[in-house]
Amino acid sequence: MEKVTINDIARLTGLSKGTVDRVLHNRGEVSKKSYEKVMACIREMGYEPNVYASLLAGKGKGSIAVVLPRPEEGSYWELASSGIGKAEESGRQVGVHTQLFTYNEFSADSFRETCATVLDSKPSGVVIAPMFQYETQVFVQELSGRGIPYVFVDTKLEEPAGHLAFFGIPAYKSGYLCADMLLQGKTAKEVLVVRVMRDKERSSDPTIERRAGFQDYIRENNPSCTLRTIFVNPIDPVATDEALSAFFTDFPDVRHVVMFNSRIHLIVPYLERNPRTGMRIVGFDNLPANIAGLQKGIVTMLIAQHPEQQVQDAISTLIDYIVFHRKPARTENHMHMDLLTRYNVEDY
């Protein structure tokens, strides 16, 4: 394709070169009709991002702040943050800088401090993975007040519903699917639900909708089943072993186990040392440690949700909105859910 110039666009649209230049560099002082003429011409001519870049070179268009829990090695959030790199290049081509801001997912204070830092940076748009409902509400209300668009990834707030877009799996349906995969049309007298200890104020509960879907499935299809819950400390494997040992001492017949976040691997070492026949265990996310548990035959199934794609798509959506003023086709963008077993995970 030959390089398209401002002169070409001016000739094809019947507008002056100055008007075309103001549209391409987002300098304002252009009527809506002229702006739409130029953008329609660009789309019709099939511009590639690198051609956009040649036209948009010069003045920066803004910045996108990505707010995620701290991506520890091997964690779900490390996988999610890898999506930033995949989207950064397209942003750079149109003058948009992307910066990662992280917080401690077990501390509401850490989240508040990070949000304050983000606001001080004066971003043009924000990608948020919310863990604390009230604090997130305060943050997005401030963003809305400043006219800063924001996109949710992984989970979202139902209220206020002012987000530009959401990228993630449908939480309630994922819990319903999880229950179906755990029972597979059969019944269970008891199910162990393993949960992670979070902040002391209990203001963080990112799997609440997933649990609701799971519970509704059990209520509708296996109403006599009793759900039993234990909490484990993700950074204390000894305490986790003790909690599991105490549980199976009290309830030795339980053979169905589920965990709604990305840490099903936390229970693998105990079950590897203390094998129990007939166990069926379902967890979420294709982390290396989870996959190892799957390959060992301890974890039965993982439901994967592509967090890196969620972040990549969220950044791309904001770039489109900030630079080209294009709103996403849909506000709610649900990712597909992949079912991984020991028999197909090697090819995933």
Side-chain angles (χ1 to χ4, degrees):
M1 180 186 294
E2 294 184 4
K3 181 177 178 181
V4 180
T5 67
I6 286 178
N7 286 336
D8 294 328
I9 297 172
R11 175 174 53 79
L12 291 168
T13 59
L15 299 171
S16 70
K17 289 189 292 184
T19 298
V20 173
D21 182 76
R22 285 195 295 275
V23 171
L24 295 175
H25 291 85
N26 199 25
R27 292 185 179 129
E29 301 176 4
V30 177
S31 70
K32 181 179 179 181
K33 184 177 179 180
S34 295
Y35 172 85
E36 290 176 348
K37 258 189 176 183
V38 172
M39 298 311 292
C41 180
I42 288 174
R43 287 192 292 271
E44 288 170 10
M45 298 176 78
Y47 270 26
E48 297 295 330
N50 62 332
V51 184
Y52 273 121
S54 67
L55 292 171
L56 295 166
K59 185 178 178 182
K61 296 296 175 182
S63 64
I64 295 173
V66 181
V67 185
L68 301 179
R70 199 162 294 136
E72 306 294 344
E73 184 177 357
S75 71
Y76 175 85
W77 297 112
E78 182 184 46
L79 185 60
S81 64
S82 69
I84 297 174
K86 296 176 181 178
E88 271 184 322
E89 179 58 28
S90 61
R92 281 196 296 268
Q93 290 175 348
V94 291
V96 176
H97 171 66
T98 302
Q99 183 175 358
L100 174 62
F101 295 81
T102 65
Y103 64 92
N104 180 348
E105 65 179 289
F106 301 105
S107 169
D109 287 340
S110 175
F111 180 72
R112 283 191 291 266
E113 290 168 4
T114 297
C115 290
T117 302
V118 169
L119 291 171
D120 287 344
S121 74
K122 299 180 180 179
S124 307
V126 178
V127 175
I128 319 164
M131 302 289 282
F132 303 94
Q133 182 167 344
Y134 173 74
E135 287 77 8
T136 301
Q137 287 176 337
V138 172
F139 181 46
V140 299
Q141 285 171 356
E142 183 65 29
L143 292 175
S144 295
R146 299 187 185 196
I148 300 172
Y150 58 92
V151 176
F152 286 128
V153 293
D154 188 64
T155 57
K156 65 184 177 71
L157 298 184
E158 298 300 330
E159 297 291 342
H163 52 287
L164 179 66
F166 162 70
F167 292 91
I169 62 176
Y172 179 90
K173 287 183 179 179
S174 72
Y176 206 89
L177 171 66
C178 179
D180 190 55
M181 294 298 97
L182 184 70
L183 297 184
Q184 290 201 320
K186 301 178 182 178
T187 59
K189 290 183 179 180
E190 298 171 305
V191 170
L192 169 59
V193 177
V194 182
R195 295 181 60 187
V196 167
M197 296 176 183
R198 292 194 173 273
D199 62 303
K200 294 179 181 179
E201 295 81 13
R202 297 187 179 182
S203 59
S204 171
D205 192 0
T207 63
I208 186 169
E209 284 297 310
R210 194 171 289 172
R211 290 202 312 277
F214 184 91
Q215 291 165 350
D216 282 353
Y217 180 98
I218 297 296
R219 191 177 299 115
E220 294 165 13
N221 297 279
N222 193 177
S224 62
C225 178
T226 299
L227 300 182
R228 303 193 182 278
T229 302
I230 65 170
F231 287 83
V232 298
N233 187 331
I235 60 173
D236 191 342
V238 173
T240 296
D241 282 2
E242 291 173 350
L244 289 166
S245 179
F247 176 84
F248 285 115
T249 297
D250 292 339
F251 305 100
D253 297 328
V254 171
R255 290 294 184 272
H256 294 80
V257 183
V258 66
M259 203 165 184
F260 298 120
N261 58 32
S262 61
R263 294 182 172 91
I264 195 67
H265 60 86
L266 294 178
I267 72 172
V268 169
Y270 174 83
L271 292 173
E272 195 170 10
R273 293 190 303 270
N274 302 275
R276 308 176 71 81
T277 59
M279 294 292 286
R280 188 165 182 83
I281 300 173
V282 177
F284 283 80
D285 304 315
N286 56 312
L287 306 188
N290 289 347
I291 290 175
L294 197 67
Q295 291 172 326
K296 291 174 181 177
I298 295 172
V299 177
T300 309
M301 181 176 290
L302 293 172
I303 301 173
Q305 59 178 316
H306 304 282
E308 73 288 352
Q309 190 65 51
Q310 296 174 28
V311 172
Q312 182 179 351
D313 289 349
I315 294 171
S316 297
T317 294
L318 279 171
I319 291 171
D320 266 2
Y321 186 75
I322 292 165
V323 178
F324 304 115
H325 309 286
R326 289 198 293 259
K327 288 188 175 181
R330 295 182 303 277
T331 301
E332 308 303 311
N333 299 274
H334 290 147
M335 316 296 287
H336 56 88
M337 295 178 277
D338 296 337
L339 304 179
L340 305 182
T341 72
R342 64 188 300 186
Y343 303 109
N344 68 351
V345 70
E346 288 185 4
D347 300 317
Y348 187 64

